[in-house]
Amino acid sequence: MKNRFSLLIAVVALSFSVGVPWLSAAPAGKKVQIEKVVTSPDNKISLAFSLTDGTPAYAVNFKKRPVILSSALGFDLKDGAMKTGFTLLDAMKSSKDETWIQPWGEEREGHNHYNELAVTLQQAGDQGRKLRIVFRVFDDAIAFRYEWPEQAALKDFDIMDELTEFVFPADHMALWQPAFRPQASEQLYAKTRLSELLRQTRLEHGDASAGDNPKKDPVKAVTTPLIMQTDDGIFLVIHEADLTDYAAMELQPRDNNTLKCYLAPWSDGVRVKASAPSVSPWRFVMISDKLSDIVEKTSATALNLNPPSRIADTSWIKPGKYVGIWWGMHLGKYTWNPSKPGEGSSDGLGATTKNTREYIDFAGKYGFSGVLVEGWNMGWARDWVAHAAEFSFTEPNPEFDLPGLAAYAHEKGVDLISHHETGAVITNYEAQVEAAFAQCERLGIHHVKSGYVGMEPRVNRYDTNGRLIGAEYLDGQYMVRHYRKIAILAAKYHIMLDAHEPIKDTGEQRTWPNFMSREGARGQEYNAWAADGGNPPNHDVNLVFTRFLSGPFDFTPGVIQVTYPQYKKNNRVNTTAAKQLAMYVTFYSPLQMAADLPENYEKHLDLFQFIVDVPADWEETHMLNGEIGEYVTMARKQRGGEDWFIGSITNEKKHDFDLPLKFLANNKTYTAEIYRDADDADWKTNPIAYKIEKRLVTRDSILSLHLAPGGGEAIRLKPATQKEQETLKTKG
Ligand code: NOJ
Ligand code: CA
């Protein structure tokens, strides 16, 4: 009965889709046997799935132009391949159009609208193994995932390679970051064509035909999200979603404008250890001729591709801004090390009761919800990178009154943010983390910032007897499992998590919204000590088109005292002060730090006001203008309020432009509080030269913006009071 029923479904399903002549997923020169097409709700994107001689492939068109040519699907398993010999068992279509509310985010509403095609394939032969591939086509993206149904012929299995490809019709420009480097994606980005990326990959393999270029580092693969721009103005981003129990996907360039999925192997060579039933993460490609669609919707697509929240009551999960005993250590004003007080320019240990009370007072006075304290715990006294196995996550240093400070913070309406630097010694952390989270909950501490310094780019894995098993990649399945385990455990103890040196963001905060922010790119810290002089002015702009496409990033903006010769002669922040303010709008994080020393904010209270006013949670978000790696302007509406905030940042080139304000409400007059670079500001020669101006605007106004070289502009737009309407001038 069951078999007859599924046969009937298969026949019905197969009968409603036929191949479309202008879109074919068949490899060149081959005749396709079976083809199924699914289009986006607005019909602009079409995806074709095909079986040719039993081999599956897919291809994609956008506005009738090919954007992905016939590309491989499938796997090499340890005990056989799942890439050929398939027949189609059934092909089912369905659709979804749902709206869901984000507990926090860049938008209040998530809109999940797609058409789906799910194909079930079976291999010939005795085993007859089954593989499902589910395709979804959104108005601005395609996505697919593999599913291994429960079946007698497949129980536990080892994936030795995922064969997924993305074949493009031309040599696109890409803004890419090399993968598998130390410190979890804390690398600068390069803008080249795919062919140059391929050449650099060949260097890695010692291929003589790639030429000799000793100045360039060889590249094994690149990270996702990866953004590309075609010569005819289409923007593409490849990323993944719902990375739960798998290796992260990097992309390896191959011949003919092709990128192939590259999974970091376990130390035993297996890339993924799985048991049917199981699923892969979603692979998705954003496709649009508007860069704003890409910037606004890539992370939203990842969220849509993750399961809904597993936390029923999310009322304790609150976005907010924080200050911390942090930048002082990176500058050398303070130390993490209790046994080195007072050395050199240092005031000594940062994490003392006295300093923390002062930070709590500062946070309370200016309305910050958190105070991060690094160095509060035992384990920093020796070279902590070499001795990270000595970290305790429950025992405070003798100068830090943990319960007293947690209580004092609450008196001031502030939460301490605990800090767990693991030094990438996973076993030491996993042995203590539950006790540490439980202790936090007992003390009413609801935030933990974690860290994994020392991934080079692998971490040692030990068995339960402390014997070394092997070194595992940050991007491999071992660490993916670790981060997920920590996020779930944190939820149990009502802890909001901010992971530094994290696994990349694939939208899992939809399911675990307590995993609020993370690092995963070069942040502000590099400006304190990097030997290369810190983040160049284009890095901040590059981030908007790369790391930020995946979701929140704890960059830690707001260092307005951009030079600090008394601490660091050879380092500085390579921006203007106004650009640091603009980052609060261009850079999204629901836990947003005001990173500078309190004394620097007290010195520039007029500038600091913007950081005090800007929220960390948004109703809606728009990219108003921008070019990859050049400049970008974002506008965001405060959640639960009427105010709008604009941030605009540029690279090392100055940028002047007119900005219409059509996104503002009709029939409303706003006061624009403008924090801009002075006319003679320049990140290199005159970085702390700024002007603060107020004027009245409406949705018909056009603002003229001047961004200095390496500069930016931050604007708050709030409904004008009667008094402001009488005293301020309207800018037409
Ligand atoms: C690296 C983190 O990114 C940084 O924020 C932290 O201060 C250090 N690790 C020390 O834990
Ligand atoms: Ca870091």
Side-chain angles (χ1 to χ4, degrees):
M1 181 63 198
K2 195 171 163 235
N3 281 348
R4 276 221 336 255
F5 183 63
S6 42
L7 186 70
L8 182 69
I9 293 176
V11 171
V12 172
L14 286 175
S15 62
F16 68 67
S17 115
V18 286
V20 175
W22 46 263
L23 171 64
S24 178
K30 297 254 179 155
K31 199 165 160 306
V32 69
Q33 270 110 34
I34 290 174
E35 186 147 272
K36 302 280 144 206
V37 175
V38 55
T39 60
S40 56
D42 68 0
N43 273 317
K44 286 192 186 132
I45 301 179
S46 311
L47 180 146
F49 163 79
S50 72
L51 269 185
T52 308
D53 299 334
T55 304
Y58 76 103
V60 182
N61 275 8
F62 172 65
K63 293 188 174 172
K64 307 212 161 147
R65 282 179 284 172
V67 285
I68 300 179
L69 306 179
S70 177
S71 296
L73 297 162
F75 295 89
D76 282 329
L77 305 187
K78 199 179 233 167
D79 64 348
M82 290 188 100
K83 57 185 174 190
T84 53
F86 285 110
T87 52
L88 182 69
L89 280 191
D90 66 43
M92 305 295 289
K93 282 192 172 178
S94 60
S95 297
K96 190 167 215 167
D97 186 359
E98 64 166 0
T99 298
W100 58 280
I101 301 298
Q102 307 198 18
W104 47 264
E106 294 178 88
E107 300 271 331
R108 175 190 290 277
E109 287 186 352
H111 190 201
N112 190 16
H113 190 195
Y114 60 81
N115 291 328
E116 179 176 295
L117 165 72
V119 295
T120 306
L121 310 175
Q122 185 164 30
Q123 281 183 300
D126 296 347
Q127 291 196 311
R129 283 176 168 173
K130 285 186 200 153
L131 177 69
R132 278 185 98 226
I133 311 175
V134 182
F135 297 95
R136 288 185 184 166
V137 186
F138 303 80
D139 283 346
D140 36 43
I142 64 104
F144 57 91
R145 90 170 341 161
Y146 302 93
E147 298 183 0
W148 294 272
E150 193 167 355
Q151 53 192 300
L154 196 67
K155 299 285 179 208
D156 295 342
F157 60 100
D158 289 338
I159 297 176
M160 304 310 288
D161 199 8
E162 180 183 322
L163 306 172
T164 304
E165 275 179 355
F166 306 88
V167 181
F168 304 108
D171 186 13
H172 302 326
M173 192 59 91
L175 182 60
W176 53 266
Q177 185 194 47
F180 305 113
R181 295 280 165 81
Q183 285 311 106
S185 306
E186 295 178 3
Q187 303 291 324
L188 296 174
Y189 300 85
K191 194 171 167 188
T192 74
R193 293 208 178 254
L194 292 173
S195 51
E196 170 59 16
L197 174 56
L198 176 65
R199 197 181 68 79
Q200 294 201 29
T201 315
R202 284 184 171 153
L203 283 175
E204 165 98 12
H205 297 292
D207 182 339
S209 71
D212 184 25
N213 190 348
K215 272 193 253 119
K216 296 241 167 85
D217 281 340
V219 178
K220 191 195 281 295
V222 295
T223 59
T224 80
L226 173 70
I227 192 166
M228 285 162 283
Q229 180 170 5
T230 72
D231 288 347
D232 52 357
I234 298 172
F235 300 93
L236 304 161
V237 173
I238 304 179
H239 191 38
E240 64 180 313
D242 195 12
L243 173 60
T244 300
D245 190 6
Y246 206 84
M249 176 176 73
E250 316 294 1
L251 297 167
Q252 192 166 56
R254 295 284 170 105
D255 287 332
N256 303 327
N257 312 319
T258 298
L259 296 169
K260 183 190 163 292
C261 169
Y262 185 95
L263 304 174
W266 287 80
S267 46
D268 64 5
V270 174
R271 290 179 198 270
V272 177
K273 299 172 196 258
S275 299
S278 109
V279 297
S280 76
W282 290 94
R283 281 73 187 82
F284 73 94
V285 185
M286 300 296 299
I287 306 164
S288 180
D289 44 18
K290 286 202 235 114
L291 185 55
S292 56
D293 277 350
I294 299 286
V295 168
E296 292 164 15
K297 294 179 187 159
T298 304
S299 63
T301 303
L303 293 174
N304 281 328
L305 289 166
N306 274 267
S309 177
R310 294 273 303 276
I311 303 175
D313 173 12
T314 57
S315 59
W316 56 274
I317 301 173
K318 297 191 184 101
K321 288 174 295 183
Y322 70 98
V323 292
I325 301 183
W326 178 79
W327 185 237
M329 268 88 95
H330 286 268
L331 288 184
K333 173 181 178 185
Y334 297 128
T335 159
W336 285 275
N337 182 345
S339 58
K340 272 215 275 176
E343 252 187 34
S345 64
S346 167
D347 289 352
L349 176 66
T352 63
T353 299
K354 178 176 168 291
N355 289 346
T356 309
R357 282 179 76 98
E358 283 171 17
Y359 269 77
I360 291 170
D361 290 342
F362 181 85
K365 182 168 171 195
Y366 294 106
F368 288 84
S369 55
V371 171
L372 166 71
V373 191
E374 297 201 357
W376 69 274
N377 55 328
M378 294 299 285
W380 297 90
R382 294 209 274 166
D383 170 357
W384 57 270
V385 179
H387 297 273
E390 293 168 19
F391 275 125
S392 161
F393 301 100
T394 49
E395 205 189 328
N397 81 55
E399 298 190 48
F400 190 82
D401 172 13
L402 177 61
L405 286 164
Y408 185 65
H410 289 147
E411 262 174 52
K412 302 279 170 174
V414 173
D415 190 23
L416 281 185
I417 301 179
S418 190
H419 180 235
H420 292 175
E421 174 55 66
T422 68
V425 182
I426 304 305
T427 23
N428 182 47
Y429 189 44
E430 289 194 350
Q432 296 184 53
V433 62
E434 181 145 19
F437 284 165
Q439 182 186 55
C440 284
E441 190 171 47
R442 273 198 309 279
L443 294 167
I445 294 173
H446 295 298
H447 293 88
V448 169
K449 169 182 168 179
S450 59
Y452 295 80
V453 168
M455 309 246 197
E456 303 290 354
R458 293 192 272 186
V459 297
N460 285 337
R461 178 163 63 105
Y462 301 88
D463 67 14
T464 43
N465 298 318
R467 274 190 300 263
L468 182 66
I469 300 173
E472 308 297 352
Y473 281 107
L474 162 71
D475 287 318
Q477 189 176 17
Y478 172 70
M479 286 303 288
V480 168
R481 284 177 175 169
H482 169 77
Y483 288 107
R484 184 59 68 109
K485 195 158 48 184
I486 299 297
I488 296 171
L489 197 62
K492 180 174 165 193
Y493 292 98
H494 299 97
I495 283 165
M496 292 170 256
L497 198 62
D498 171 14
H500 276 228
E501 297 80 39
I503 191 68
K504 69 169 143 176
D505 189 338
T506 64
E508 57 269 42
Q509 64 271 31
R510 174 155 185 211
T511 314
W512 298 103
N514 64 311
F515 196 168
M516 296 186 83
S517 197
R518 65 187 91 193
E519 195 186 37
R522 260 176 86 130
Q524 185 88 275
E525 60 180 352
Y526 278 74
N527 295 327
W529 39 254
D532 63 9
N535 300 329
N538 71 353
H539 178 65
D540 314 305
V541 185
N542 285 341
L543 287 173
V544 175
F545 300 102
T546 52
R547 168 65 184 83
F548 276 102
L549 297 177
S550 67
F553 169 21
D554 186 28
F555 175 86
T556 69
V559 175
I560 54 179
Q561 184 58 52
V562 297
T563 57
Y564 21 82
Q566 73 275 39
Y567 299 120
K568 292 288 178 95
K569 283 201 177 54
N570 300 322
N571 284 96
R572 53 160 295 181
V573 175
N574 301 317
T575 72
T576 64
K579 183 175 179 181
Q580 289 287 316
L581 301 189
M583 288 174 180
Y584 286 88
V585 189
T586 56
F587 290 0
Y588 171 62
S589 177
L591 300 176
Q592 191 72 286
M593 188 177 202
D596 212 341
L597 303 172
E599 57 265 34
N600 291 335
Y601 289 137
E602 305 268 13
K603 246 193 288 166
H604 296 286
L605 281 176
D606 53 352
L607 274 184
F608 184 50
Q609 190 59 45
F610 183 82
I611 302 177
V612 169
D613 292 336
V614 71
D617 195 22
W618 305 101
E619 184 77 30
E620 54 183 288
T621 287
H622 303 277
M623 185 190 112
L624 301 180
N625 61 33
E627 270 178 57
I628 297 174
E630 297 292 328
Y631 64 91
V632 66
T633 308
M634 309 283 292
R636 302 188 198 258
K637 189 174 185 214
Q638 166 189 30
R639 200 180 271 211
E642 291 299 314
D643 292 7
W644 282 86
F645 290 80
I646 296 173
S648 187
I649 58 174
T650 183
N651 59 14
E652 65 289 347
K653 291 175 225 142
K654 79 175 172 80
H655 190 57
D656 295 287
F657 61 98
D658 287 340
L659 189 70
L661 302 175
K662 287 289 171 220
F663 54 86
L664 293 177
N666 242 332
N667 303 324
K668 235 191 193 128
T669 302
Y670 294 80
T671 302
E673 297 171 355
I674 299 170
Y675 300 74
R676 67 173 180 89
D677 292 321
D679 294 343
D680 59 350
D682 184 303
W683 74 272
K684 208 168 199 171
T685 53
N686 195 16
I688 314 185
Y690 59 88
K691 279 247 153 63
I692 301 176
E693 296 164 346
K694 271 192 187 182
R695 60 177 48 125
L696 295 181
V697 295
T698 67
R699 74 191 300 272
D700 297 322
S701 306
I702 294 179
L703 289 176
S704 297
L705 273 71
H706 163 74
L707 313 186
E713 184 157 328
I715 304 171
R716 177 190 187 187
L717 299 153
K718 57 172 197 194
T721 61
Q722 196 55 40
K723 189 159 171 237
E724 285 168 334
Q725 302 216 23
E726 284 154 19
T727 52
L728 292 173
K729 278 208 320 254
T730 310
K731 169 93 176 163

